[in-house]
Amino acid sequence: MYDIAILWDWLAFAVRWLHVITAIAWIGSSFYFIALDLSLNRDIDGPADGEEWQVHGGGFYHIQKYLVAPEAMPEHLTWFKWESYATWLSGAAMLAVVYWVGAELYLIDPNKADIGIFTGILISAASLAVGWIIYDLLCKSPLGEQPTTLMVLLFILLVAMSWGYNQIFTGRAALLHLGAFTATIMTANVFFIIMPNQRIVVADLKAGRTPDPKYGKIAKLRSTHNNYLTLPVIFLMLSNHYPLAFGTQYAWIIAALVFLMGVTIRHYFNSMHARKGRPNWTWAVTVILFIVIAWLSTQPGHDSYDAAEARALTPYEQRFAAADGFENAHDIVIGRCSMCHAREPVWGNMRWAPKGVFLETESDIARYARQIYLQAGVSHAMPPANITNLSEQDRAKLIAWYRAGS
């Protein structure tokens, strides 16, 4: 069983690695084409809508954009779609590997909602699909003709989901799910709207027909939404590594403010690329929002020590608390780990426990049995630089305890 724990952790690492690589490809191409489209020189003669000269890697590139078919319509077109699809698929795989399989540890917070593992997973999956349906209906309603109003409603939807996730899931799962919720909207835009509309336009151009401009208008609207949602999604995906982002009762407000920061930052770069000036005021707004976020992160968002001590153990926790060697493991963790992994850390100037992991009570230690095994037993990742002098004998006791429980 312990071999499965190690292999599963490496599987999670591999999927995360793939997700990051594909996300870089998708975001990179998205940012490039947005910047390219905004920076085109449109003061040219001929059928082209604009052109741009660029230099990179020792070569010069002459790029032209056509809204109508050029004289010789190419048979081969490069479609930028798989970057988006691969990012979503790898992200969904990571969600399943980390948060669904590890639902008792990472997904469900028994202090917030008394729900079973299957119910938590069902809410996790269904919320992603429901979010896209609501968003798509809003875009296809008459509001689609009012981009500003539509963006405000989208923001309200995201804030509502942020609050809702925080009522059910752990802090880190809540923010990550909000990121997945947003990324699902973005990829669905590409799969269900942007790509089909582009195929219709290409087919019309090849057949010599004048394309209906509505298809390009609709695709442009969805692409603009994706552009403004990208930076917040990146923040939300990184947030699970920073307890200051998710370890507070105001994490849902932090997420809402991050979406506003995404708008201010993208507005600056979009204006710059479009040669409409540099609205430097957006940076002042961004800094103010970030300061507010930093302040909100200092507000407590976890149960007290007494409440954690009094809470009944879950079946998962009971299994490891009853395993042979638990008393030894408990004493080792309390003596070598709890000074940092506490609700009020006493090590140095540390304010929050690393990764939001608490190791003070019996339920805490039993809950994080697998992480203790991997971080302080199999590997020497914890304590950092072995600063609390955890001996090899003690590491062996932690391994034996986890194996007995698993």
Side-chain angles (χ1 to χ4, degrees):
M1 183 63 71
Y2 57 89
D3 288 335
I4 293 177
I6 296 172
L7 291 174
W8 197 261
D9 215 50
W10 273 109
L11 174 62
F13 190 179
V15 173
R16 190 184 300 272
W17 188 22
L18 173 63
H19 185 54
V20 170
I21 292 170
T22 55
I24 290 172
W26 182 19
I27 295 168
S29 63
S30 174
F31 280 6
Y32 172 75
F33 277 103
I34 288 289
L36 174 64
D37 188 66
L38 291 172
S39 64
L40 287 173
N41 175 20
R42 291 181 165 84
D43 188 21
I44 60 174
D45 297 324
D49 179 58
E51 68 176 8
E52 177 77 349
W53 283 89
Q54 298 183 354
V55 59
H56 180 73
F60 295 88
Y61 299 81
H62 184 203
I63 304 165
Q64 292 183 311
K65 176 184 176 182
Y66 291 84
L67 294 179
V68 296
E71 293 183 3
M73 187 68 178
E75 288 298 323
H76 174 71
L77 287 173
T78 300
W79 298 78
F80 290 86
K81 56 182 180 179
W82 286 110
E83 297 91 338
S84 173
Y85 302 162
T87 299
W88 190 89
L89 290 171
S90 59
M94 189 170 71
L95 181 68
V97 169
V98 177
Y99 287 89
W100 291 358
V101 175
E104 289 177 300
L105 177 61
Y106 293 121
L107 182 64
I108 299 171
D109 186 344
N111 296 304
K112 294 180 179 180
D114 185 16
I115 59 176
I117 293 176
F118 178 77
T119 302
I121 294 173
L122 185 62
I123 293 173
S124 168
S127 65
L128 305 184
V130 170
W132 159 251
I133 293 172
I134 295 174
Y135 163 80
D136 189 49
L137 289 175
L138 287 174
C139 289
K140 291 177 177 177
S141 73
L143 292 171
E145 300 297 324
Q146 304 176 46
T148 302
T149 302
L150 186 59
M151 283 291 287
V152 171
L153 289 176
L154 174 57
F155 176 70
I156 293 173
L157 172 63
L158 292 169
V159 173
M161 290 305 303
S162 180
W163 179 86
Y165 280 136
N166 272 274
Q167 304 310 303
I168 301 173
F169 297 146
T170 64
R172 62 190 297 181
L175 292 193
L176 185 131
H177 272 75
L178 185 62
F181 177 91
T182 309
T184 298
I185 288 175
M186 294 171 65
T187 296
N189 273 338
V190 176
F191 185 80
F192 292 113
I193 304 298
I194 297 174
M195 290 306 301
N197 284 13
Q198 287 182 336
R199 291 191 184 96
I200 292 172
V201 171
V202 168
D204 285 342
L205 292 174
K206 286 186 175 182
R209 299 187 298 268
T210 301
D212 189 330
K214 74 175 184 179
Y215 295 110
K217 183 179 179 181
I218 293 171
K220 181 69 173 178
L221 176 66
R222 302 298 183 100
S223 181
T224 300
H225 289 172
N226 283 6
N227 176 246
Y228 280 100
L229 293 173
T230 299
L231 294 181
V233 168
I234 296 174
F235 179 97
L236 293 169
M237 294 308 179
L238 292 174
S239 68
N240 67 96
H241 298 286
Y242 294 91
L244 283 173
F246 66 78
T248 168
Q249 59 181 319
Y250 299 119
W252 67 277
I253 300 179
I254 288 176
L257 296 180
V258 166
F259 279 103
L260 294 181
M261 285 202 303
V263 171
T264 57
I265 294 172
R266 287 312 305 165
H267 178 67
Y268 175 85
F269 284 103
N270 289 344
S271 299
M272 181 182 69
H273 293 315
R275 300 187 180 93
K276 294 182 179 180
R278 297 172 182 264
N280 293 316
W281 61 266
T282 59
W283 292 113
V285 174
T286 301
V287 170
I288 291 172
L289 289 172
F290 197 82
I291 291 173
V292 174
I293 286 174
W295 175 76
L296 288 172
S297 72
T298 63
Q299 308 307 305
H302 53 73
D303 57 344
S304 66
Y305 176 86
D306 290 338
E309 184 74 19
R311 181 177 63 81
L313 274 64
T314 66
Y316 178 86
E317 294 165 353
Q318 290 174 357
R319 175 152 57 95
F320 285 100
D324 290 341
F326 176 71
E327 290 184 6
N328 287 332
H330 177 273
D331 292 343
I332 293 168
V333 171
I334 293 298
R336 306 296 180 183
C337 311
S338 64
M339 61 282 296
C340 294
H341 290 280
R343 288 158 180 81
E344 295 182 8
V346 296
W347 184 273
N349 295 319
M350 188 175 294
R351 184 172 182 86
W352 296 118
K355 294 291 185 71
V357 174
F358 304 128
L359 299 175
E360 295 182 288
T361 68
E362 290 188 358
S363 61
D364 290 339
I365 295 169
R367 178 179 177 84
Y368 289 102
R370 183 168 175 268
Q371 280 57 47
I372 294 170
Y373 165 70
L374 292 172
Q375 301 284 343
V378 175
S379 75
H380 286 202
M382 289 292 160
N386 200 21
I387 199 166
T388 59
N389 298 313
L390 182 60
S391 69
E392 292 301 318
Q393 291 80 6
D394 284 344
R395 292 184 191 276
K397 291 177 182 178
L398 294 177
I399 293 174
W401 161 61
Y402 177 80
R403 292 179 180 177
S406 62

